[in-house]
Amino acid sequence: MKPNFCRAAVILWVATLGVGGWFFVKGVTKTGSDGRVEIILAAAERDQILAEMRSLLKAVDGLIRGLGEPNPDPRQMEATARAVGMNMAADTEPTIMAKLPLPFKQMGMSIHKDMDALADAIVRHETSQQILQRLSSMTARCTACHDMYRFKAS
Ligand code: HEC
């Protein structure tokens, strides 16, 4: 192999890593009309994430209702939290992941992780106040992320 060819191959390799890394951090985004970062997705991808969002809200609703009961059903609450845990995140396709900015991915993953931790906490019989604290640390992230990002179907 000629040295020039090797050099070209190395440059191409570094460039590919660089572009890949750039997308990994920045995703596919532009600034939206309201100043939030707009993540550009295919319509079906956007539908999929929004459906996931609605499941998250249903889980939060279910958990708060559970906590409000005089006799909460721990098994049902555990299942509610578990349903939106890391298992749900594992289903997200790599093509969607590639379009999401890094902080978005980190915040999203942290919610799924904390829902599993909340399910474990219910099994450990943590108090309702402790469970509420876990939940509020998550809802703070729901609102922080909604303030930062929005979706656009391409
Ligand atoms: C990593 C970022 C992020 C996190 C964390 C997040 N969301 Fe969202 N969510 C979004 C974005 C972006 C949208 C779309 C907003 C838009 O396009 O205006 C959205 C939309 C929604 C919607 C609307 C769904 C629809 O059908 O239109 C609901 C409901 C929702 N989120 C609930 C939640 C709840 C509950 C949590 C926390 C448990 C949460 N989200 C956490 C980013 C996030």
Side-chain angles (χ1 to χ4, degrees), residues 23-97:
F23 275 111
F24 181 74
V25 174
K26 200 157 177 298
V28 182
T29 56
K30 69 184 184 73
T31 304
S33 56
D34 60 3
R36 287 187 292 170
V37 176
E38 199 162 66
I39 303 169
I40 322 273
L41 298 169
E45 295 170 341
R46 175 173 174 268
D47 290 345
Q48 189 184 322
I49 302 198
L50 288 179
E52 230 179 79
M53 291 291 162
R54 295 193 297 278
S55 301
L56 279 176
L57 182 55
K58 279 182 199 154
V60 170
D61 175 60
L63 290 167
I64 293 174
R65 279 166 190 277
L67 289 171
E69 296 272 331
N71 294 310
D73 177 352
R75 267 196 303 203
Q76 195 184 339
M77 286 179 65
E78 185 205 350
T80 300
R82 201 71 77 190
V84 290
M86 285 306 278
N87 262 344
M88 180 188 236
D91 288 344
T92 311
E93 286 146 33
T95 47
I96 300 184
M97 287 299 251

Side-chain angles (χ1 to χ4, degrees), residues 36 50 53-54 56-57 60 104 107-108 111 138 141-142 145-146 149-151:
R36 287 187 292 170
L50 288 179
M53 291 291 162
R54 295 193 297 278
L56 279 176
L57 182 55
V60 170
F104 186 103
M107 259 190 287
I111 296 271
M138 283 185 254
R141 263 167 286 159
C142 311
C145 193
H146 295 154
Y149 296 104
R150 66 188 229 179
F151 295 132

